[in-house]
Amino acid sequence: MHITKIDEHIHLIDLEPAGIEDFIASYVLIGKNVAIVETGPASTVQNLLSGLKKLNVKPEEVAYVAVSHIHLDHSGAVGTLLKYLLQAKLIVHQRGSPHIANPEKLWAQSKKALGRLSQVYGEPEPVPEERIIAATDYMTFDIGNNIKLKVIETLGHASHHLVYYETLSQGIFTGDAAGIYLNKYDTVVPTTPSPYRLDIALQSLKKLISLKPRFLYYSHFGKAYNAVEKLQAYKKQLKLWEEIARQGIEKGENLRAISNRIIESDVALQKVEKYIKSHPILSKTVLEQSVEGVIRYVERMYTQKPQP
Ligand SMILES: [Zn+2]
């Protein structure tokens, strides 16, 4: 577990699941109260608690725990965490909240979708309903000292996805709405697992661009500058992947062939190809699950088209 101060009032805790650095971040905002954005998976909850201790945050000072969506790598720890943070309320998308209160189905589906990786993330514990705030678009939460978190509904990656605009630094906690940021390479790659909605994701990105953020705080991973430029580049990258998937499907190519053609065409991806291919998690999530998510999306769009 490492802590990085990324602004006067924001710290990043590297949660390091299975010892993997620079992969999952939790952010701690310190104003009059304290808010945590993203908890990471259940398996790293002790790392998060050690991080809070190091930051001299007392458990009772935490007023809010905000999560972008209910995928295990973003919010799997929340049930366990709230047992320690007795004053904290959880902020989650209204469509995610029933699964946070009763995570059995979420866990079963995650095991199916993620396989071995679900064990790396660990089983989520339930959150009592009375501690959940089912968030809707533009709800705002006051942390004090001019720090506010504004909820921005950003669907596409998932049907239960939010990002948080932070008013003092004018930065956005992106969750998975803006891709995966490989901070050492200053490069973004898609996170588009099935059932991905590329059309809706593009609308969400447009919404984020209109906020003119100064910074992006990626859950995977870290603070990024040139925020608007990055969001625009991500839009382009998604459209490129969609086009290659469309051509591949027309030619009857399989996932592997389409994945290879994406690598051949995507200059950003080429920059990090080696890193991704040798990464224990990204090798699967980016080059297989993300590619598959775009392929399935294109297939669905084709079959939904009315016959002439
Ligand atoms: Zn996700």
Side-chain angles (χ1 to χ4, degrees), residues 68-74 157-158 160-161 175-176 191 193 220:
S68 62
H69 64 304
I70 65 170
H71 288 163
L72 294 185
D73 47 336
H74 295 258
H157 173 84
H160 42 83
H161 196 288
D176 276 343
T191 173
H220 313 282

Side-chain angles (χ1 to χ4, degrees), residues 22-304:
D22 292 347
F23 182 57
I24 300 180
S26 174
Y27 292 92
V28 183
L29 283 77
I30 305 178
K32 276 204 184 76
N33 297 311
V34 173
I36 296 170
V37 181
E38 304 284 62
T39 68
S43 60
T44 56
V45 70
Q46 290 307 325
N47 293 352
L48 179 51
L49 289 165
S50 315
L52 293 175
K53 209 170 172 188
K54 253 194 172 163
L55 290 168
N56 290 318
V57 170
K58 294 192 187 76
E60 63 273 19
E61 291 173 333
V62 180
Y64 298 111
V65 174
V67 297
S68 62
H69 64 304
I70 65 170
H71 288 163
L72 294 185
D73 47 336
H74 295 258
S75 59
V78 71
T80 317
L81 184 66
L82 288 193
K83 288 184 181 171
Y84 293 88
L85 312 178
L86 295 174
Q87 302 300 322
K89 293 263 191 206
L90 167 68
I91 306 168
V92 62
H93 191 284
Q94 51 184 342
R95 263 197 287 277
S97 81
H99 302 286
I100 291 279
N102 296 292
E104 299 79 16
K105 210 171 122 193
L106 172 68
W107 176 237
Q109 280 175 350
S110 303
K111 280 196 284 192
K112 233 170 107 187
L114 301 176
R116 191 188 56 85
L117 189 52
S118 61
Q119 301 304 327
V120 174
Y121 291 155
E123 185 173 354
E125 292 192 75
V127 175
E129 265 171 57
E130 63 273 16
R131 299 190 66 184
I132 301 177
I133 301 170
T136 51
D137 217 0
Y138 304 119
M139 266 183 163
T140 301
F141 298 91
D142 198 343
I143 323 295
N145 298 352
N146 293 320
I147 306 164
K148 285 183 186 134
L149 282 178
K150 193 190 246 185
V151 170
I152 313 288
E153 187 181 56
T154 38
L155 311 180
H157 173 84
S159 61
H160 42 83
H161 196 288
L162 306 170
V163 308
Y164 298 91
Y165 179 81
E166 194 274 302
T167 49
L168 186 60
S169 68
Q170 297 166 28
I172 291 175
F173 296 96
T174 58
D176 276 343
I180 291 171
Y181 180 56
L182 304 173
N183 58 335
K184 295 226 162 70
Y185 302 86
D186 192 33
T187 294
V188 175
V189 295
T191 173
T192 55
S194 243
Y196 188 66
R197 280 295 302 265
L198 197 135
D199 50 345
I200 297 174
L202 292 175
Q203 285 170 27
S204 295
L205 286 163
K206 205 172 151 194
K207 198 170 175 184
L208 297 186
I209 289 167
S210 74
L211 296 169
K212 299 193 178 74
R214 295 178 63 211
F215 308 106
L216 299 174
Y217 310 123
Y218 288 88
S219 306
H220 313 282
F221 179 95
K223 179 181 183 177
Y225 297 77
N226 304 319
V228 171
E229 203 179 284
K230 285 205 166 57
L231 295 170
Q232 271 159 350
Y234 190 48
K235 267 173 73 179
K236 269 195 193 154
Q237 191 177 32
L238 292 177
K239 286 180 193 165
L240 174 71
W241 281 41
E242 180 189 23
E243 179 55 24
I244 295 168
R246 199 184 57 74
Q247 290 170 3
I249 291 165
E250 271 176 6
K251 287 183 192 155
E253 290 177 352
N254 63 13
L255 187 140
R256 177 126 204 174
I258 294 174
S259 181
N260 285 338
R261 284 209 305 115
I262 285 175
I263 294 171
E264 281 167 24
S265 319
D266 185 338
V267 185
L269 190 61
Q270 284 164 16
K271 233 171 102 179
V272 292
E273 184 186 348
K274 252 195 191 149
Y275 176 78
I276 288 180
K277 282 187 169 165
S278 63
H279 193 282
I281 294 176
L282 292 174
S283 53
K284 203 163 173 61
T285 53
V286 178
L287 298 175
E288 291 177 27
Q289 289 164 359
S290 284
V291 173
E292 192 186 2
V294 174
I295 292 172
R296 297 284 163 266
Y297 164 77
V298 173
E299 284 173 348
R300 279 201 310 280
M301 293 312 270
Y302 269 100
T303 50
Q304 274 169 17

